[in-house]
Amino acid sequence: VLKDGAAAQYGTDAIAGVINVILKSEKDSGVLNIDYGTYGSSDINPQREDKGENRHVAVNNGVSVGDEGYLNLSLEWTDKDHTNNSGQHPNIQAANINSPGWVNRIAGEPAYELFTLGFNAGTKLGDDLELYAFGTAGQREAVAQQNFRRYNSAPAIYPKGYVPSIGIDETDYALTTGIEGKFLGDGHWDLSTTYGADEADVLVKNSANLNLLADTGSTPRDFYNGTFNNSQWTTNLDVSKPVALDFLPAPLNVAGGTEYRHETYKLEAGDAASRYKAGSQAFPGYQFTDARDVERDIVAVYTELGTRFTPEWQVSLATRAEHYSDAGDTAIGKLATRYDFNPRFALRATASTGFRAPTLAEQNFSATNVSPTVSNIQLAVNSPAATLLGAPRLKPEESENISLGLVFEPLDEVFASIDVFQIDIDERIINTGNLNGPAVRDAIASNGIYFQGNSANLAFFTNGVDTQTKGVDLVLDWTSDLEAYGKIRWNLTGTRIKTEVTHIKNASPQLGGGLLITPVIISGLEDSTPEHKFAISANYYLGDVNFLLRLTRYGESSQLSSDAGTGLA
């Protein structure tokens, strides 16, 4: 894990760092993992089902291919149940029907079943050339339960009421192939291309379209609500070489590269029944006004220089420039240093800048979400309706990152690190709070959106706030050698982190000026992530078998919500 800002080397999303994923390449060996997990019963809901039971099986095996090649395969299956943290529903009790009042199950995690396949392969083409490829493919079906609809919602087909569900049927895959080699002795080059795509069908089940039922006397119970398609095609060339210079005690490592990326985003409308008037209960189908088919191109170049000014002191400098066909240009940089006082104690520090262009989805996504009493409408920020409201086009986020860390060995074979960091993000892209009023209703009507209920709330993505995140990370690991009884690898991690909103942008005159972002949205940024998290794990190895036990403790999190009765939070 690179904990310092790495955007200048690895791309503009790596504001806080990157994870270096080491792919398995073992030959003629394998491993089988079987694990099970569950939450305890909810303190809020006394029912004993829906505890999020998680069953997971993974198998990995490697084989030799010819004299110099390998093929490593992984197959995984995960089956996770719902969790249920919903309280007693007062309206259901008051309805005086055969229902215990605990039928609402919306406050919880979704259930899903996931199958994934991965491979990593490579072979040498000579002393200085290697051909490689790796990829993944996954299929997921997931279901999230929604608010209970009472017996009088659609009595002809659901006389005791019903719980609609929103699900997705998702296929995801990615393939990378490349060739790497050496030049001028110790120089290294790597040329690769990666294509990845994701398709997700949105499905609503055990539901009804009440308008269709009223107008025609019938309604489907299951609906196809639309499909998301996303893809990226990325091609990279990276080159590095150490260069000996007379005035430096160590070689100057020179690295550089270029990247081209093509991205697409597509949203297809749902079936006619899901879109009719207010649409299917819980979630209406995506309208033709929501449908999008957009793309963009990104070109980037980077350079990195690194050396040691003394045997103990190393310094690296990196810069990166990127051009987005829809979001303009940027140039960012990073300066990092590390000083090893002795083999058991080192100090490291980094200062860097970052940049994140708005995604195609942030710029183009729109949808309408219908409840029995209110409709929540998401406008695409570049739509005519958003323009009517004075919503500005999205700008890239910019960031500054400072980190300071200690790496030390307090006892023999006990390895530790402590890092403190601060990340400032300007023009952070977030979703606005629920906006309403006459101007909002006019904008909704101009977009051809039909809604039901007593009110309609509207939101769109915007560069709404500046934030500052401060934190500290602790990592400690060591090994207990039990000799004939195996060994235990211990790992202790702790994180304390706090995000604060430092500036809020004003709304447009059409929306009345004032602060655009509500306290509810600010709470989501500042309070919804636990301020601390601690985990300890023990990995016990005995011959060809190992057991993993992990205990994780999260701090409190909270979320401000708006009280409809008082208009206050």
Side-chain angles (χ1 to χ4, degrees):
V1 178
L2 266 180
K3 294 185 178 180
D4 53 13
Q9 297 140 293
Y10 297 101
T12 53
D13 285 346
I15 286 175
V18 293
I19 297 175
N20 183 23
V21 178
I22 308 298
L23 300 181
K24 293 182 177 181
S25 57
E26 290 87 352
K27 304 176 183 179
D28 305 315
S29 65
V31 63
L32 172 67
N33 290 320
I34 299 174
D35 43 286
Y36 170 85
T38 184
Y39 289 103
S41 297
S42 166
D43 293 333
I44 302 299
N45 193 311
Q47 297 181 122
R48 296 305 177 192
E49 67 271 16
D50 292 345
K51 295 192 295 183
E53 288 183 295
N54 187 79
R55 296 159 286 274
H56 174 246
V57 178
V59 60
N60 169 263
N61 193 59
V63 296
S64 298
V65 179
D67 295 332
E68 300 287 348
Y70 63 89
L71 173 62
N72 193 280
L73 294 170
S74 297
L75 181 65
E76 292 189 63
W77 169 74
T78 304
D79 184 35
K80 182 185 177 300
D81 291 340
H82 295 277
T83 60
N84 184 355
N85 203 41
S86 297
Q88 197 165 13
H89 197 301
N91 290 339
I92 305 306
Q93 282 193 316
N96 195 26
I97 60 172
N98 293 326
S99 176
W102 300 97
V103 294
N104 220 27
R105 301 164 74 182
I106 190 172
E109 296 174 346
Y112 67 87
E113 185 174 27
L114 173 65
F115 294 91
T116 53
L117 172 68
F119 83 95
N120 182 35
T123 187
K124 288 187 176 181
L125 302 178
D127 292 338
D128 295 334
L129 283 178
E130 182 174 350
L131 180 68
Y132 62 87
F134 54 88
T136 57
Q139 172 65 34
R140 177 171 64 132
E141 293 183 2
V143 178
Q145 307 202 62
Q146 303 303 302
N147 279 313
F148 181 82
R149 266 62 174 174
R150 296 176 63 189
Y151 66 97
N152 55 359
S153 172
I157 54 176
Y158 297 113
K160 294 186 177 182
Y162 59 104
V163 178
S165 67
I166 301 176
I168 64 167
D169 187 349
E170 181 181 17
T171 301
D172 183 281
Y173 62 90
L175 174 65
T176 297
T177 183
I179 187 170
E180 60 181 341
K182 298 179 180 180
F183 70 97
L184 299 178
D186 51 2
H188 178 261
W189 61 270
D190 189 331
L191 175 64
S192 67
T193 189
T194 300
Y195 182 80
D198 181 278
E199 179 176 296
D201 296 332
V202 182
L203 308 169
V204 170
K205 297 185 177 182
N206 197 49
S207 181
N209 184 324
L210 301 184
N211 297 113
L212 188 62
L213 180 62
D215 293 347
T216 68
S218 65
T219 174
R221 299 189 183 204
D222 298 337
F223 300 84
Y224 162 72
N225 290 58
T227 296
F228 288 93
N229 288 279
N230 301 271
S231 72
Q232 284 189 350
W233 184 14
T234 305
T235 300
N236 278 93
L237 174 63
D238 297 291
V239 179
S240 63
K241 190 181 188 311
V243 178
L245 299 174
D246 293 339
F247 59 90
L248 290 175
L252 175 68
N253 191 68
V254 181
T258 184
E259 176 181 291
Y260 167 75
R261 186 165 78 252
H262 181 73
E263 297 180 346
T264 70
Y265 169 82
K266 185 177 181 180
L267 174 55
E268 300 174 12
D271 62 35
S274 74
R275 292 183 280 106
Y276 184 77
K277 291 189 176 180
S280 47
Q281 285 291 298
F283 194 81
Y286 291 103
Q287 303 286 333
F288 289 121
T289 53
D290 298 324
R292 292 289 191 279
D293 190 355
V294 293
E295 58 186 39
R296 70 180 177 190
D297 298 291
I298 303 101
V299 178
V301 294
Y302 82 93
T303 58
E304 182 182 5
L305 303 175
T307 191
R308 291 181 181 269
F309 290 115
T310 70
E312 298 82 18
W313 182 28
Q314 55 180 301
V315 176
S316 66
L317 173 68
T319 61
R320 186 180 181 98
E322 297 201 11
H323 169 75
Y324 285 74
S325 61
D326 64 340
D329 304 324
T330 183
I332 54 179
K334 168 184 171 179
L335 177 64
T337 185
R338 172 175 169 139
Y339 193 89
D340 289 84
F341 292 91
N342 56 56
R344 297 179 63 158
F345 182 79
L347 178 69
R348 61 188 179 194
T350 302
S352 63
T353 59
F355 168 98
R356 190 182 78 83
T359 66
L360 290 175
E362 286 170 333
Q363 297 178 78
N364 292 279
F365 174 68
S366 65
T368 302
N369 196 345
V370 177
S371 79
T373 58
V374 66
S375 295
N376 295 308
I377 296 164
Q378 178 76 35
L379 277 185
V381 70
N382 57 6
S383 67
T387 303
L388 267 180
L389 293 173
R393 292 293 180 115
L394 291 180
K395 298 184 290 186
E397 298 176 346
E398 297 182 351
S399 67
E400 298 83 37
N401 185 325
I402 298 174
S403 64
L404 178 67
L406 299 177
V407 185
F408 56 103
E409 189 180 349
L411 301 171
D412 287 343
E413 301 299 318
V414 176
F415 305 99
S417 66
I418 300 176
D419 293 272
V420 295
F421 56 88
Q422 177 177 302
I423 304 170
D424 294 294
I425 302 179
D426 298 330
E427 306 285 355
R428 186 161 177 172
I429 299 171
I430 60 171
N431 216 11
T432 65
N434 288 332
L435 309 173
N436 44 55
V440 166
R441 286 179 174 268
D442 291 343
I444 293 171
S446 74
N447 213 49
I449 298 173
Y450 183 96
F451 64 92
Q452 71 174 33
N454 301 322
S455 63
N457 296 319
L458 183 144
F460 52 83
F461 285 100
T462 188
N463 299 96
V465 298
D466 300 338
T467 63
Q468 184 176 86
T469 299
K470 295 180 179 179
V472 57
D473 280 336
L474 166 69
V475 179
L476 196 67
D477 65 82
W478 68 98
T479 300
S480 299
D481 190 349
L482 307 179
E483 298 180 347
Y485 298 99
K487 61 181 180 180
I488 302 176
R489 172 85 181 268
W490 301 90
N491 182 261
L492 174 66
T493 61
T495 298
R496 186 171 182 86
I497 189 169
K498 179 64 177 175
T499 295
E500 179 182 1
V501 173
T502 57
H503 179 67
I504 304 172
K505 305 299 172 66
N506 286 334
S508 65
Q510 295 93 317
L511 291 171
L515 298 179
L516 178 62
I517 307 304
T518 67
V520 170
I521 301 301
I522 296 172
S523 172
L525 293 168
E526 294 186 339
D527 306 323
S528 60
T529 300
E531 285 195 21
H532 67 262
K533 173 187 173 183
F534 297 96
I536 185 168
S537 65
N539 210 333
Y540 176 51
Y541 298 87
L542 181 62
D544 294 332
V545 179
N546 73 287
F547 300 90
L548 173 66
L549 179 66
R550 179 186 294 116
L551 177 66
T552 305
R553 167 68 179 175
Y554 297 90
E556 288 187 355
S557 61
S558 62
Q559 174 67 62
L560 207 62
S561 63
S562 179
D563 188 308
T566 64
L568 302 175

